[in-house]
Amino acid sequence: MTKTGFVIANLFRKKSRFVLTLLSVIMAFLLFGLLQSVNVLFNAGADFVGATRLMTQARVSFTQSLPLRQLPEIESIPGVKRVMYQQWFGGILEKDKEQLFTFAVDPERLHDVYPEWQMPEEQWKAFANTRTGMIVGKLLADKYGWKVGDKVPLGSDIFPQKNGSKSWAFDLVGIYDGKDEEWKRKALQVFINHAYFDEANMFMHGMAGIYTIQLTDPDLAKQVAEAIDKRFENSPDETKTQTEKDWNAGFIKQMGDIGMIVRWILFAVFFTLLLVVGNTMAQSVRERVPELAVLKTLGFSDGAVLGFVLSESLTLCALGGVIGLGISTLLGFLIQKSPAGMMFPISVDWRVWSAGIVAILVLSLAVGLLPALRARRLKIVDALAGR
């Protein structure tokens, strides 16, 4: 029997224990892959490569709105093709109390800046000409059984009407869909007419939460972003311009320190795994003390015995780690293609795999070193005598 065969045979000596331990390692690295990809997403620097649109918000937070007087100044910056403004409405479906992604927009600008949203031209015109108009994504319309012509009541905890009522009613004048399968899965937003919202709400007029900038050339993304922020530098309304991907990540980050949460979850997962796999390895070595003594009697050195035990822990962790990371890669791909991928574009890429391989090596050493040292220090006479 070869040394590799000897290591594998020892791993399968207790098949049930091996399978259960392997499953715990797989689950740990599945979580590691997904959570580490979240960590990478939130800690990645600005990436302007290939960006066709930029998002401009207030420098402090997107919850602080910007004045619409900035619109012509942004439009005048070289490299800007078209600008859309939008305001988070905080829409709630009054019947089910379900939050809807609702934005107040200029219909014509939405049509120009987001050609990915497709809808019959007569419905685009109806949206532009109906002050109480509203359009919804096809997925959302199918979910609630809405059709063009319906009157849809929406609530807003942020913006009451001038009469103090938090209940609004909008006329559904269009149902949009995505241009391809990827965008079809994202058709879950609600858009209302900004002109009506601006006139009817109690608190805010002539303001917008975000500007979305369509570029003439993706290669100008970084240059345009810097030019916009520089234009409003040291003004009462300083801006922060970034790509759509970075803005979406920042939107979620507003909920809390996601990186810290992820790190604590990973710590808890791997601490538990350390105890489980470490105990398994220690028990495995205890059961084989006489056999290890026989190996030394046959001429295997202390170092060779130590190597056998470490190889077992490395094989177990590597097998579970690779399978777990592989499954997380597949799940990450599926999440990217789902509607959640629009706000949460995680990717289990080479950075996650690199961190995963380091984690496999560290875990293997941590769970295997103490049992391996015990096996190395075995005295043949004492081991065979059961002492």
Side-chain angles (χ1 to χ4, degrees):
M1 177 180 286
T2 63
K3 292 180 179 177
T4 304
F6 181 73
V7 170
I8 295 174
N10 278 326
L11 279 174
F12 281 93
R13 180 185 294 258
K14 302 279 187 180
K15 292 185 175 61
S16 300
R17 184 172 65 192
F18 169 73
V19 170
L20 291 173
T21 307
L22 181 64
L23 285 175
S24 66
V25 178
I26 290 174
M27 285 303 299
F29 277 92
L30 169 59
L31 282 173
F32 174 86
L34 293 175
L35 293 174
Q36 187 62 22
S37 64
V38 172
N39 212 17
V40 169
L41 174 67
F42 286 114
N43 289 293
D47 181 9
F48 290 97
V49 178
T52 57
R53 283 184 290 255
L54 298 174
M55 309 284 278
T56 297
Q57 64 169 63
R59 184 173 180 178
V60 178
S61 168
F62 75 93
T63 57
Q64 179 181 337
S65 296
L66 296 167
L68 283 177
R69 57 179 161 74
Q70 291 178 322
L71 179 63
E73 293 189 64
I74 296 175
E75 288 177 318
S76 67
I77 292 175
V80 174
K81 182 179 180 182
R82 187 76 160 135
V83 182
M84 183 191 90
Y85 52 87
Q86 55 187 321
Q87 175 63 48
W88 172 253
F89 178 71
I92 299 172
L93 194 60
E94 292 195 315
K95 180 182 176 184
D96 302 329
K97 300 299 179 188
E98 185 174 339
Q99 181 84 53
L100 300 178
F101 283 94
T102 309
F103 291 90
V105 300
D106 180 297
E108 293 181 354
R109 291 177 183 273
L110 172 69
H111 190 17
D112 294 340
V113 173
Y114 281 94
E116 293 88 351
W117 296 139
Q118 297 188 342
M119 192 168 64
E121 279 303 317
E122 59 270 22
Q123 293 185 8
W124 280 114
K125 290 179 181 175
F127 186 32
N129 297 326
T130 307
R131 293 178 66 77
T132 56
M134 160 180 127
I135 62 173
V136 301
K138 187 174 184 304
L139 290 178
L140 212 55
D142 291 343
K143 179 179 179 181
Y144 294 110
W146 291 338
K147 57 185 183 301
V148 173
D150 284 354
K151 196 85 171 177
V152 180
L154 284 184
S156 173
D157 289 333
I158 305 174
F159 297 107
Q161 297 190 64
K162 284 182 177 175
N163 60 11
S165 171
K166 294 182 178 178
S167 298
W168 297 65
F170 297 96
D171 298 301
L172 183 56
V173 295
I175 297 173
Y176 67 87
D177 204 355
K179 68 169 186 177
D180 54 27
E181 287 302 316
E182 181 183 354
W183 281 86
K184 286 179 188 294
R185 286 191 289 268
K186 300 175 181 176
L188 285 164
Q189 298 180 68
V190 176
F191 296 110
I192 60 175
N193 197 317
H194 187 277
Y196 171 63
F197 161 79
D198 191 58
E199 177 185 288
N201 86 85
M202 178 182 286
F203 299 125
M204 197 175 73
H205 307 285
M207 307 287 282
I210 313 153
Y211 291 107
T212 304
I213 294 101
Q214 187 181 33
L215 301 168
T216 56
D217 183 352
D219 293 338
L220 298 174
K222 187 176 182 181
Q223 179 182 330
V224 172
E226 291 174 349
I228 293 172
D229 292 342
K230 190 173 181 180
R231 176 70 63 93
F232 302 108
E233 196 174 29
N234 297 322
S235 75
D237 301 295
E238 290 189 311
T239 60
K240 178 182 178 182
T241 303
Q242 52 198 330
T243 63
E244 283 181 296
K245 176 185 171 184
D246 293 335
W247 188 86
N248 287 335
F251 182 87
I252 297 172
K253 211 171 180 177
Q254 298 282 337
M255 293 186 293
D257 190 344
I258 302 294
M260 179 66 76
I261 295 170
V262 167
R263 283 192 290 276
W264 275 108
I265 293 174
L266 285 176
F267 174 77
V269 168
F270 275 91
F271 183 72
T272 306
L273 186 66
L274 189 69
L275 297 179
V276 171
V277 181
N279 182 60
T280 300
M281 290 301 302
Q283 188 176 353
S284 175
V285 169
R286 277 199 303 273
E287 292 171 353
R288 288 184 287 137
V289 166
E291 295 176 25
L292 295 172
V294 170
L295 282 178
K296 290 190 175 185
T297 305
L298 292 174
F300 286 91
S301 65
D302 291 343
V305 173
L306 181 141
F308 281 138
V309 177
L310 283 179
S311 298
E312 286 178 34
S313 68
L314 177 61
T315 304
L316 176 63
C317 294
L319 185 61
V322 169
I323 295 174
L325 288 172
I327 296 174
S328 67
T329 303
L330 177 63
L331 289 177
F333 176 77
L334 295 176
I335 291 172
Q336 259 197 340
K337 297 298 178 185
S338 71
M342 183 172 63
M343 294 296 295
F344 220 54
I346 63 171
S347 173
V348 184
D349 58 14
W350 64 270
R351 291 168 292 186
V352 178
W353 274 86
S354 300
I357 290 171
V358 172
I360 288 172
L361 295 176
V362 171
L363 181 66
S364 303
L365 192 62
V367 300
L369 186 59
L370 288 179
L373 288 174
R374 183 189 177 188
R376 181 179 179 276
R377 289 194 296 262
L378 279 177
K379 302 296 183 187
I380 297 175
V381 174
D382 292 341
L384 292 176
R387 293 195 292 264

